[in-house]
PDB file of all heavy atoms in Angstrom:
ATOM      1  N   LEU B 232       2.894   3.388 -17.475  1.00 92.00           N
ATOM      2  CA  LEU B 232       2.851   2.559 -16.267  1.00 92.00           C
ATOM      3  C   LEU B 232       3.363   3.374 -15.086  1.00 92.00           C
ATOM      4  O   LEU B 232       4.449   3.954 -15.151  1.00 92.00           O
ATOM      5  CB  LEU B 232       3.702   1.295 -16.429  1.00 92.00           C
ATOM      6  CG  LEU B 232       3.387   0.394 -17.630  1.00 92.00           C
ATOM      7  CD1 LEU B 232       4.316  -0.823 -17.629  1.00 92.00           C
ATOM      8  CD2 LEU B 232       1.931  -0.049 -17.628  1.00 92.00           C
ATOM      9  N   ASP B 233       2.588   3.425 -14.012  1.00 93.00           N
ATOM     10  CA  ASP B 233       2.972   4.183 -12.823  1.00 93.00           C
ATOM     11  C   ASP B 233       4.193   3.527 -12.173  1.00 93.00           C
ATOM     12  O   ASP B 233       4.110   2.391 -11.700  1.00 93.00           O
ATOM     13  CB  ASP B 233       1.801   4.207 -11.838  1.00 93.00           C
ATOM     14  CG  ASP B 233       2.033   5.152 -10.668  1.00 93.00           C
ATOM     15  OD1 ASP B 233       3.209   5.485 -10.395  1.00 93.00           O
ATOM     16  OD2 ASP B 233       1.054   5.553 -10.022  1.00 93.00           O
ATOM     17  N   PRO B 234       5.347   4.216 -12.129  1.00 94.00           N
ATOM     18  CA  PRO B 234       6.554   3.585 -11.572  1.00 94.00           C
ATOM     19  C   PRO B 234       6.477   3.312 -10.084  1.00 94.00           C
ATOM     20  O   PRO B 234       7.279   2.548  -9.544  1.00 94.00           O
ATOM     21  CB  PRO B 234       7.649   4.622 -11.892  1.00 94.00           C
ATOM     22  CG  PRO B 234       6.919   5.927 -11.981  1.00 94.00           C
ATOM     23  CD  PRO B 234       5.574   5.595 -12.579  1.00 94.00           C
ATOM     24  N   ARG B 235       5.506   3.932  -9.390  1.00 95.00           N
ATOM     25  CA  ARG B 235       5.390   3.743  -7.938  1.00 95.00           C
ATOM     26  C   ARG B 235       4.509   2.566  -7.563  1.00 95.00           C
ATOM     27  O   ARG B 235       4.391   2.224  -6.387  1.00 95.00           O
ATOM     28  CB  ARG B 235       4.827   5.018  -7.307  1.00 95.00           C
ATOM     29  CG  ARG B 235       5.702   6.254  -7.509  1.00 95.00           C
ATOM     30  CD  ARG B 235       4.973   7.518  -7.150  1.00 95.00           C
ATOM     31  NE  ARG B 235       3.803   7.706  -8.018  1.00 95.00           N
ATOM     32  CZ  ARG B 235       2.961   8.729  -7.921  1.00 95.00           C
ATOM     33  NH1 ARG B 235       3.159   9.652  -6.984  1.00 95.00           N
ATOM     34  NH2 ARG B 235       1.951   8.836  -8.739  1.00 95.00           N
ATOM     35  N   GLN B 236       3.863   1.969  -8.558  1.00 95.00           N
ATOM     36  CA  GLN B 236       2.935   0.868  -8.290  1.00 95.00           C
ATOM     37  C   GLN B 236       3.522  -0.456  -8.762  1.00 95.00           C
ATOM     38  O   GLN B 236       4.240  -0.509  -9.756  1.00 95.00           O
ATOM     39  CB  GLN B 236       1.598   1.109  -9.007  1.00 95.00           C
ATOM     40  CG  GLN B 236       0.898   2.396  -8.639  1.00 95.00           C
ATOM     41  CD  GLN B 236       0.394   2.404  -7.204  1.00 95.00           C
ATOM     42  OE1 GLN B 236       0.301   1.356  -6.552  1.00 95.00           O
ATOM     43  NE2 GLN B 236       0.055   3.587  -6.699  1.00 95.00           N
ATOM     44  N   LYS B 237       3.203  -1.516  -8.046  1.00 96.00           N
ATOM     45  CA  LYS B 237       3.599  -2.847  -8.489  1.00 96.00           C
ATOM     46  C   LYS B 237       2.722  -3.288  -9.661  1.00 96.00           C
ATOM     47  O   LYS B 237       1.637  -2.749  -9.888  1.00 96.00           O
ATOM     48  CB  LYS B 237       3.477  -3.844  -7.339  1.00 96.00           C
ATOM     49  CG  LYS B 237       4.501  -3.636  -6.229  1.00 96.00           C
ATOM     50  CD  LYS B 237       4.391  -4.711  -5.159  1.00 96.00           C
ATOM     51  CE  LYS B 237       5.452  -4.519  -4.083  1.00 96.00           C
ATOM     52  NZ  LYS B 237       5.374  -5.577  -3.034  1.00 96.00           N
ATOM     53  N   VAL B 238       3.211  -4.270 -10.386  1.00 97.00           N
ATOM     54  CA  VAL B 238       2.508  -4.748 -11.573  1.00 97.00           C
ATOM     55  C   VAL B 238       1.093  -5.203 -11.225  1.00 97.00           C
ATOM     56  O   VAL B 238       0.153  -4.957 -11.987  1.00 97.00           O
ATOM     57  CB  VAL B 238       3.308  -5.880 -12.247  1.00 97.00           C
ATOM     58  CG1 VAL B 238       2.474  -6.557 -13.339  1.00 97.00           C
ATOM     59  CG2 VAL B 238       4.598  -5.325 -12.843  1.00 97.00           C
ATOM     60  N   GLU B 239       0.923  -5.839 -10.082  1.00 97.00           N
ATOM     61  CA  GLU B 239      -0.419  -6.305  -9.707  1.00 97.00           C
ATOM     62  C   GLU B 239      -1.398  -5.140  -9.654  1.00 97.00           C
ATOM     63  O   GLU B 239      -2.519  -5.233 -10.181  1.00 97.00           O
ATOM     64  CB  GLU B 239      -0.381  -7.006  -8.352  1.00 97.00           C
ATOM     65  CG  GLU B 239      -1.764  -7.475  -7.898  1.00 97.00           C
ATOM     66  CD  GLU B 239      -1.753  -8.137  -6.529  1.00 97.00           C
ATOM     67  OE1 GLU B 239      -0.652  -8.309  -5.954  1.00 97.00           O
ATOM     68  OE2 GLU B 239      -2.842  -8.487  -6.033  1.00 97.00           O
ATOM     69  N   ARG B 240      -1.005  -4.046  -9.028  1.00 96.00           N
ATOM     70  CA  ARG B 240      -1.882  -2.878  -8.917  1.00 96.00           C
ATOM     71  C   ARG B 240      -2.146  -2.270 -10.297  1.00 96.00           C
ATOM     72  O   ARG B 240      -3.273  -1.855 -10.600  1.00 96.00           O
ATOM     73  CB  ARG B 240      -1.240  -1.844  -7.990  1.00 96.00           C
ATOM     74  CG  ARG B 240      -2.026  -0.548  -7.857  1.00 96.00           C
ATOM     75  CD  ARG B 240      -3.318  -0.750  -7.081  1.00 96.00           C
ATOM     76  NE  ARG B 240      -4.051   0.497  -6.952  1.00 96.00           N
ATOM     77  CZ  ARG B 240      -3.862   1.388  -5.977  1.00 96.00           C
ATOM     78  NH1 ARG B 240      -2.923   1.156  -5.053  1.00 96.00           N
ATOM     79  NH2 ARG B 240      -4.580   2.481  -5.921  1.00 96.00           N
ATOM     80  N   ILE B 241      -1.116  -2.220 -11.144  1.00 96.00           N
ATOM     81  CA  ILE B 241      -1.259  -1.640 -12.477  1.00 96.00           C
ATOM     82  C   ILE B 241      -2.239  -2.451 -13.323  1.00 96.00           C
ATOM     83  O   ILE B 241      -3.147  -1.903 -13.955  1.00 96.00           O
ATOM     84  CB  ILE B 241       0.118  -1.571 -13.173  1.00 96.00           C
ATOM     85  CG1 ILE B 241       1.004  -0.540 -12.469  1.00 96.00           C
ATOM     86  CG2 ILE B 241      -0.038  -1.232 -14.651  1.00 96.00           C
ATOM     87  CD1 ILE B 241       2.443  -0.555 -12.936  1.00 96.00           C
ATOM     88  N   VAL B 242      -2.060  -3.778 -13.323  1.00 96.00           N
ATOM     89  CA  VAL B 242      -2.862  -4.640 -14.192  1.00 96.00           C
ATOM     90  C   VAL B 242      -4.306  -4.732 -13.705  1.00 96.00           C
ATOM     91  O   VAL B 242      -5.240  -4.809 -14.510  1.00 96.00           O
ATOM     92  CB  VAL B 242      -2.223  -6.041 -14.284  1.00 96.00           C
ATOM     93  CG1 VAL B 242      -3.123  -7.011 -15.039  1.00 96.00           C
ATOM     94  CG2 VAL B 242      -0.862  -5.947 -14.988  1.00 96.00           C
ATOM     95  N   THR B 243      -4.505  -4.705 -12.396  1.00 96.00           N
ATOM     96  CA  THR B 243      -5.864  -4.866 -11.858  1.00 96.00           C
ATOM     97  C   THR B 243      -6.624  -3.546 -11.739  1.00 96.00           C
ATOM     98  O   THR B 243      -7.779  -3.540 -11.323  1.00 96.00           O
ATOM     99  CB  THR B 243      -5.832  -5.543 -10.470  1.00 96.00           C
ATOM    100  OG1 THR B 243      -5.058  -4.733  -9.560  1.00 96.00           O
ATOM    101  CG2 THR B 243      -5.221  -6.930 -10.562  1.00 96.00           C
ATOM    102  N   GLU B 244      -5.990  -2.444 -12.119  1.00 94.00           N
ATOM    103  CA  GLU B 244      -6.645  -1.143 -11.986  1.00 94.00           C
ATOM    104  C   GLU B 244      -8.009  -1.075 -12.674  1.00 94.00           C
ATOM    105  O   GLU B 244      -8.969  -0.556 -12.087  1.00 94.00           O
ATOM    106  CB  GLU B 244      -5.726  -0.052 -12.527  1.00 94.00           C
ATOM    107  CG  GLU B 244      -6.283   1.349 -12.347  1.00 94.00           C
ATOM    108  CD  GLU B 244      -5.323   2.410 -12.852  1.00 94.00           C
ATOM    109  OE1 GLU B 244      -4.306   2.044 -13.461  1.00 94.00           O
ATOM    110  OE2 GLU B 244      -5.592   3.597 -12.642  1.00 94.00           O
ATOM    111  N   PRO B 245      -8.172  -1.616 -13.908  1.00 93.00           N
ATOM    112  CA  PRO B 245      -9.514  -1.580 -14.516  1.00 93.00           C
ATOM    113  C   PRO B 245     -10.550  -2.360 -13.720  1.00 93.00           C
ATOM    114  O   PRO B 245     -11.718  -1.942 -13.645  1.00 93.00           O
ATOM    115  CB  PRO B 245      -9.285  -2.221 -15.896  1.00 93.00           C
ATOM    116  CG  PRO B 245      -7.838  -1.987 -16.184  1.00 93.00           C
ATOM    117  CD  PRO B 245      -7.157  -2.116 -14.862  1.00 93.00           C
ATOM    118  N   LEU B 246     -10.151  -3.482 -13.109  1.00 92.00           N
ATOM    119  CA  LEU B 246     -11.096  -4.250 -12.289  1.00 92.00           C
ATOM    120  C   LEU B 246     -11.466  -3.481 -11.031  1.00 92.00           C
ATOM    121  O   LEU B 246     -12.619  -3.502 -10.589  1.00 92.00           O
ATOM    122  CB  LEU B 246     -10.481  -5.603 -11.907  1.00 92.00           C
ATOM    123  CG  LEU B 246     -10.279  -6.616 -13.029  1.00 92.00           C
ATOM    124  CD1 LEU B 246      -9.658  -7.902 -12.474  1.00 92.00           C
ATOM    125  CD2 LEU B 246     -11.592  -6.932 -13.727  1.00 92.00           C
ATOM    126  N   SER B 247     -10.487  -2.792 -10.448  1.00 90.00           N
ATOM    127  CA  SER B 247     -10.769  -1.993  -9.254  1.00 90.00           C
ATOM    128  C   SER B 247     -11.759  -0.879  -9.566  1.00 90.00           C
ATOM    129  O   SER B 247     -12.645  -0.569  -8.760  1.00 90.00           O
ATOM    130  CB  SER B 247      -9.465  -1.404  -8.702  1.00 90.00           C
ATOM    131  OG  SER B 247      -8.557  -2.424  -8.340  1.00 90.00           O
ATOM    132  N   ALA B 248     -11.620  -0.289 -10.758  1.00 87.00           N
ATOM    133  CA  ALA B 248     -12.533   0.786 -11.144  1.00 87.00           C
ATOM    134  C   ALA B 248     -13.956   0.272 -11.306  1.00 87.00           C
ATOM    135  O   ALA B 248     -14.924   0.976 -10.995  1.00 87.00           O
ATOM    136  CB  ALA B 248     -12.052   1.427 -12.443  1.00 87.00           C
ATOM    137  N   LEU B 249     -14.078  -0.962 -11.787  1.00 86.00           N
ATOM    138  CA  LEU B 249     -15.410  -1.551 -11.946  1.00 86.00           C
ATOM    139  C   LEU B 249     -15.985  -2.013 -10.610  1.00 86.00           C
ATOM    140  O   LEU B 249     -17.202  -2.079 -10.441  1.00 86.00           O
ATOM    141  CB  LEU B 249     -15.350  -2.732 -12.920  1.00 86.00           C
ATOM    142  CG  LEU B 249     -15.066  -2.369 -14.386  1.00 86.00           C
ATOM    143  CD1 LEU B 249     -14.835  -3.636 -15.208  1.00 86.00           C
ATOM    144  CD2 LEU B 249     -16.215  -1.568 -14.972  1.00 86.00           C
ATOM    145  N   GLY B 250     -15.093  -2.369  -9.668  1.00 82.00           N
ATOM    146  CA  GLY B 250     -15.517  -2.735  -8.322  1.00 82.00           C
ATOM    147  C   GLY B 250     -16.342  -4.000  -8.238  1.00 82.00           C
ATOM    148  O   GLY B 250     -17.246  -4.097  -7.405  1.00 82.00           O
ATOM    149  N   LYS B 251     -16.036  -4.998  -9.079  1.00 76.00           N
ATOM    150  CA  LYS B 251     -16.856  -6.214  -9.088  1.00 76.00           C
ATOM    151  C   LYS B 251     -16.065  -7.473  -8.773  1.00 76.00           C
ATOM    152  O   LYS B 251     -16.533  -8.576  -9.024  1.00 76.00           O
ATOM    153  CB  LYS B 251     -17.524  -6.375 -10.451  1.00 76.00           C
ATOM    154  CG  LYS B 251     -18.608  -5.340 -10.706  1.00 76.00           C
ATOM    155  CD  LYS B 251     -19.426  -5.676 -11.933  1.00 76.00           C
ATOM    156  CE  LYS B 251     -20.586  -4.721 -12.093  1.00 76.00           C
ATOM    157  NZ  LYS B 251     -21.436  -5.056 -13.254  1.00 76.00           N
ATOM    158  N   ALA B 252     -14.854  -7.327  -8.241  1.00 86.00           N
ATOM    159  CA  ALA B 252     -14.042  -8.501  -7.918  1.00 86.00           C
ATOM    160  C   ALA B 252     -13.291  -8.247  -6.623  1.00 86.00           C
ATOM    161  O   ALA B 252     -12.853  -7.123  -6.351  1.00 86.00           O
ATOM    162  CB  ALA B 252     -13.069  -8.808  -9.059  1.00 86.00           C
ATOM    163  N   SER B 253     -13.139  -9.303  -5.823  1.00 91.00           N
ATOM    164  CA  SER B 253     -12.390  -9.183  -4.581  1.00 91.00           C
ATOM    165  C   SER B 253     -10.899  -9.088  -4.887  1.00 91.00           C
ATOM    166  O   SER B 253     -10.456  -9.341  -6.011  1.00 91.00           O
ATOM    167  CB  SER B 253     -12.655 -10.400  -3.692  1.00 91.00           C
ATOM    168  OG  SER B 253     -12.107 -11.580  -4.292  1.00 91.00           O
ATOM    169  N   ARG B 254     -10.094  -8.769  -3.891  1.00 91.00           N
ATOM    170  CA  ARG B 254      -8.650  -8.651  -4.080  1.00 91.00           C
ATOM    171  C   ARG B 254      -8.059  -9.988  -4.532  1.00 91.00           C
ATOM    172  O   ARG B 254      -7.185 -10.024  -5.407  1.00 91.00           O
ATOM    173  CB  ARG B 254      -8.011  -8.197  -2.768  1.00 91.00           C
ATOM    174  CG  ARG B 254      -6.532  -7.900  -2.857  1.00 91.00           C
ATOM    175  CD  ARG B 254      -6.282  -6.613  -3.612  1.00 91.00           C
ATOM    176  NE  ARG B 254      -4.870  -6.305  -3.656  1.00 91.00           N
ATOM    177  CZ  ARG B 254      -4.230  -5.579  -2.739  1.00 91.00           C
ATOM    178  NH1 ARG B 254      -4.910  -5.085  -1.697  1.00 91.00           N
ATOM    179  NH2 ARG B 254      -2.947  -5.309  -2.850  1.00 91.00           N
ATOM    180  N   THR B 255      -8.540 -11.068  -3.950  1.00 94.00           N
ATOM    181  CA  THR B 255      -8.043 -12.395  -4.336  1.00 94.00           C
ATOM    182  C   THR B 255      -8.403 -12.717  -5.776  1.00 94.00           C
ATOM    183  O   THR B 255      -7.580 -13.227  -6.540  1.00 94.00           O
ATOM    184  CB  THR B 255      -8.627 -13.476  -3.401  1.00 94.00           C
ATOM    185  OG1 THR B 255      -8.263 -13.180  -2.053  1.00 94.00           O
ATOM    186  CG2 THR B 255      -8.106 -14.857  -3.784  1.00 94.00           C
ATOM    187  N   GLU B 256      -9.643 -12.409  -6.160  1.00 94.00           N
ATOM    188  CA  GLU B 256     -10.076 -12.659  -7.542  1.00 94.00           C
ATOM    189  C   GLU B 256      -9.298 -11.797  -8.524  1.00 94.00           C
ATOM    190  O   GLU B 256      -8.929 -12.259  -9.615  1.00 94.00           O
ATOM    191  CB  GLU B 256     -11.579 -12.382  -7.663  1.00 94.00           C
ATOM    192  CG  GLU B 256     -12.454 -13.386  -6.917  1.00 94.00           C
ATOM    193  CD  GLU B 256     -13.913 -12.959  -6.873  1.00 94.00           C
ATOM    194  OE1 GLU B 256     -14.179 -11.727  -6.971  1.00 94.00           O
ATOM    195  OE2 GLU B 256     -14.786 -13.837  -6.748  1.00 94.00           O
ATOM    196  N   GLN B 257      -9.026 -10.562  -8.139  1.00 95.00           N
ATOM    197  CA  GLN B 257      -8.264  -9.677  -9.004  1.00 95.00           C
ATOM    198  C   GLN B 257      -6.852 -10.216  -9.236  1.00 95.00           C
ATOM    199  O   GLN B 257      -6.355 -10.203 -10.371  1.00 95.00           O
ATOM    200  CB  GLN B 257      -8.191  -8.274  -8.400  1.00 95.00           C
ATOM    201  CG  GLN B 257      -9.502  -7.514  -8.428  1.00 95.00           C
ATOM    202  CD  GLN B 257      -9.369  -6.105  -7.861  1.00 95.00           C
ATOM    203  OE1 GLN B 257      -8.272  -5.551  -7.806  1.00 95.00           O
ATOM    204  NE2 GLN B 257     -10.495  -5.530  -7.446  1.00 95.00           N
TER     205      GLN B 257
END
């Protein structure tokens, strides 16, 4: 787990890579 990132960023990273959900949906 990246210590510089908040849990939200860590957990949603796979969704961000897929690029198919908005920030609110993530």
Side-chain angles (χ1 to χ4, degrees):
L232 305 181
D233 189 339
R235 299 167 298 179
Q236 302 292 344
K237 291 184 178 181
V238 170
E239 178 182 356
R240 177 70 179 273
I241 292 171
V242 173
T243 60
E244 184 178 8
L246 291 180
S247 300
L249 291 172
K251 290 191 174 182
S253 67
R254 186 72 178 270
T255 302
E256 291 171 335
Q257 289 182 21

